[in-house]
Amino acid sequence: MASGEKFDCIVVGAGPAGTTCAYALAKAGLSVVLLERGEKPGSKNVMGGILYSTILNKVIPNFWETAPVERRIVQKKFAVLSDDSEVGLGLRFEGFNKPPYNNTFSVLRGKFDAWYAGKAEEAGVMILNEAVVDKIIMDGKKAVGVKTRLEDGDLYADMVVVAEGVTSLLAQSLGLREKHVPEHMVTCCKEVIALPKEAIEERFGIEGEEGASLEYFGGSVKGLVGSAFIYTNKESVSVGIGVSTNDLKNNKLTPNDIIENFKAHPSIKHYIKGGKLLEYSAHMIPEFGYDHLPKLAIDGLIIAGDAAGFVNMNPLYHEGSNLAMASGLAAAETIIESKKNNDFSEKALAGYRRRLEGSFVLKDLKRYKGISSFALKHPEFFKEYPELLIKLAEEFFTVSETPKGKSRMAVIKKGLKSVNLVKLAIGMNRARKVMF
Ligand SMILES: Cc1cc2nc3c(=O)[nH]c(=O)nc-3n(C[C@H](O)[C@H](O)[C@H](O)COP(=O)(O)OP(=O)(O)OC[C@H]3O[C@@H](n4cnc5c(N)ncnc54)[C@H](O)[C@@H]3O)c2cc1C
């Protein structure tokens, strides 16, 4: 490759958004270079590990037959913890054991991203690893290329796609997005812990290629706004926490304090007992919300994935990978159309936002846009109420010689005395509106 070489499109970042975009463009016959700052795709990436794959299955049908997925998720659990107890809801659906496996797989990004980038390469994408992009090259108001740290590293193209993930310094340097504020960010850390396959199957009640995802709220993250998770891989489990950066700062806690506390909980420690730490990583998740999205396109440039803040904030889903892929695909479709008309202006690229508004990406972001302000205004849903629920449940199920009618009435009375019912009703109503 010679300095100054011109492509149809330069894609920055080989995560789910960038690789999907590059793959679809190459399949359509466009010349594409995919630039990744890591030594290989996936080497710098952190994710809890649940890949939602409706889009991937469109891009590469039946991808699970060749992709390095870990397990298909057939079993789910949602639970609240107090300091030492748990109340939870377990779900298992046999239908999720059949193709397309509810489009939900656990993955390890180091393996998955490398495989996906390999598929893009087979489709004709040129991949350059260790290619950090420092700057977008502008000609007036139009993006025309990128400055990389490679030798002779200026590259030019009709289009640049910024898919560099949450930090998104390039979008920020162009003034396309607001500066990160702690209120719109989630701080995460994650460990991958090796365990024998048999131990995983026995502890989580799964077999063969089945997998489980477990999500914990309340005391799992010391009552902060956020949650903790355990996902099963083939021969390891991914354990992590994600909490509001604002809450973390205000409570003077570190992500490490929280994950260590979670792993030591009586409900959790038996899952990871005897495991060997393979990997520790920390990362952020953007929760900009629909009202704080960046400008998604300017002349010659589109922003996709986490760089644009496309993460579904609803804690029941924790979706980011599929929104990243959907936005990468929408970017590719828009660029293919622009290429046909030889028009890469902001106006011609408006189809990108239109496609996203018509898909689950912006429909879901709009639907759940109130979640983060709800969470910040109602901390009682993360600490006080989970603790009370667990206490009352424990008393309800405590065996004694008190007649059942009397003991149950005592629990109900205690519950009614412990909460401000008006505040609870208002909060529940708001929770219903923002989450369902
Ligand atoms: C702890 C944690 C748990 C999560 N769990 C889940 C989950 O279970 N399910 C889910 O769907 N989502 C989850 N997410 C969110 C999900 O990881 C993201 O939404 C998704 O990875 C976004 O994809 P992306 O391609 O936009 O960005 P990324 O995956 O971040 O990829 C960006 C790529 O760009 C590269 N890059 C960055 N800057 C440059 C540069 N200047 N030059 C060149 N390359 C660059 C990076 O190295 C990286 O490879 C989780 C996130 C975290 C942090």
Side-chain angles (χ1 to χ4, degrees):
M1 185 195 64
S3 176
E5 188 170 339
K6 188 166 173 207
F7 297 85
D8 289 323
C9 187
I10 295 167
V11 180
V12 183
T19 303
T20 303
C21 180
Y23 181 94
L25 289 172
K27 278 276 178 193
L30 275 68
S31 60
V32 193
V33 61
L34 178 58
L35 304 174
E36 169 53 44
R37 72 176 170 157
E39 63 196 30
K40 68 181 177 95
S43 60
K44 295 252 179 203
N45 289 343
V46 180
M47 183 167 104
I50 302 297
L51 172 74
Y52 299 100
S53 58
T54 52
I55 301 297
L56 181 59
N57 199 23
K58 279 187 199 160
V59 176
I60 304 178
N62 296 353
F63 69 89
W64 56 80
E65 289 168 2
T66 52
V69 293
E70 293 291 314
R71 290 175 181 270
R72 53 178 90 129
I73 304 301
V74 298
Q75 200 162 290
K76 285 173 179 272
K77 180 176 187 182
F78 296 95
V80 287
L81 300 184
S82 63
D83 284 346
D84 59 5
S85 304
E86 170 183 357
V87 169
L89 170 71
L91 309 162
R92 183 190 161 95
F93 302 104
E94 201 44 39
F96 293 177
N97 241 334
K98 300 185 187 86
Y101 307 109
N102 192 35
N103 291 296
T104 312
F105 297 86
S106 57
V107 293
L108 291 166
R109 288 281 301 272
K111 288 189 208 165
F112 175 81
D113 286 16
W115 169 84
Y116 197 23
K119 287 281 160 194
E121 207 162 23
E122 279 170 26
V125 174
M126 177 192 284
I127 300 184
L128 298 180
N129 293 317
E130 298 184 316
V132 182
V133 173
D134 283 325
K135 204 175 160 210
I136 304 292
I137 304 172
M138 303 293 291
D139 179 5
K141 285 184 172 175
K142 183 180 185 310
V144 292
V146 296
K147 240 179 207 321
T148 74
R149 285 186 206 164
L150 297 170
E151 209 178 307
D152 295 333
D154 290 1
L155 302 176
Y156 292 87
D158 287 330
M159 279 297 305
V160 176
V161 174
V162 172
E164 56 167 341
V166 59
T167 47
S168 192
L169 299 173
L170 298 173
Q172 207 170 301
S173 71
L174 294 173
L176 300 179
R177 50 166 281 189
E178 300 164 7
K179 226 173 154 220
H180 288 317
V181 289
E183 288 77 6
H184 293 161
M185 299 301 276
V186 172
T187 301
C188 307
C189 71
K190 182 192 135 180
E191 294 183 359
V192 179
I193 298 174
L195 282 170
K197 190 171 180 289
E198 300 71 35
I200 294 174
E201 294 187 356
E202 190 193 320
R203 291 177 193 184
F204 292 86
I206 48 181
E207 60 180 27
E209 295 182 6
E210 294 174 351
S213 78
L214 289 65
E215 309 275 352
Y216 294 92
F217 303 89
S220 67
V221 286
K222 295 198 166 197
L224 303 194
V225 172
S227 60
F229 60 83
I230 305 182
Y231 303 140
T232 56
N233 304 313
K234 279 192 173 115
E235 295 191 335
S236 64
V237 292
S238 297
V239 181
I241 58 104
V243 288
S244 150
T245 306
N246 200 41
D247 232 10
L248 202 59
K249 199 178 82 190
N250 292 342
N251 285 278
K252 298 193 170 52
L253 287 166
T254 67
N256 203 48
D257 297 334
I258 295 177
I259 198 167
E260 288 304 328
N261 187 58
F262 176 59
K263 288 190 308 179
H265 192 281
S267 290
I268 304 304
K269 62 183 183 191
H270 70 102
Y271 285 128
I272 50 176
K273 195 173 155 197
K276 182 169 165 261
L277 181 67
L278 293 179
E279 203 181 296
Y280 179 92
S281 48
H283 207 68
M284 307 290 271
I285 298 182
E287 290 205 339
F288 307 162
Y290 185 82
D291 293 335
H292 298 276
L293 292 177
K295 191 165 183 188
L296 298 179
I298 57 169
D299 293 351
L301 182 140
I302 277 178
I303 307 180
D306 271 18
F310 295 149
V311 172
N312 184 344
M313 291 187 267
N314 192 322
L316 295 180
Y317 306 113
H318 283 311
E319 293 177 354
S321 55
N322 49 342
L323 281 76
M325 288 181 177
S327 62
L329 191 59
E333 288 166 1
T334 309
I335 293 166
I336 292 164
E337 198 173 82
S338 283
K339 173 80 182 164
K340 275 187 199 141
N341 303 323
N342 197 27
D343 182 358
F344 304 98
S345 64
E346 184 178 323
K347 202 165 158 222
L349 300 174
Y352 176 53
R353 182 156 192 140
R354 259 200 317 278
R355 284 182 170 85
L356 295 174
E357 294 279 4
S359 81
F360 70 97
V361 175
L362 290 188
K363 281 193 169 70
D364 284 350
L365 253 60
K366 206 174 197 171
R367 177 73 195 89
Y368 300 123
K369 68 180 186 176
I371 287 185
S372 72
S373 75
F374 167 84
L376 295 174
K377 281 185 198 146
H378 292 277
E380 67 275 14
F381 276 81
F382 296 86
K383 187 163 171 59
E384 185 188 332
Y385 292 168
E387 279 174 1
L388 180 63
L389 173 72
I390 291 173
K391 214 163 176 209
L392 295 178
E394 184 177 3
E395 286 181 21
F396 191 90
F397 288 106
T398 297
V399 173
S400 76
E401 291 180 15
T402 311
K404 295 280 181 284
K406 201 171 169 196
S407 65
R408 284 181 188 172
M409 191 45 75
V411 172
I412 293 169
K413 275 191 186 155
K414 189 170 184 182
L416 292 174
K417 254 174 74 186
S418 310
V419 284
N420 175 335
L421 287 177
V422 177
K423 190 175 161 194
L424 175 66
I426 293 174
M428 292 295 278
N429 191 38
R430 287 194 185 140
R432 180 188 60 76
K433 281 190 184 153
V434 297
M435 281 191 52
F436 297 103

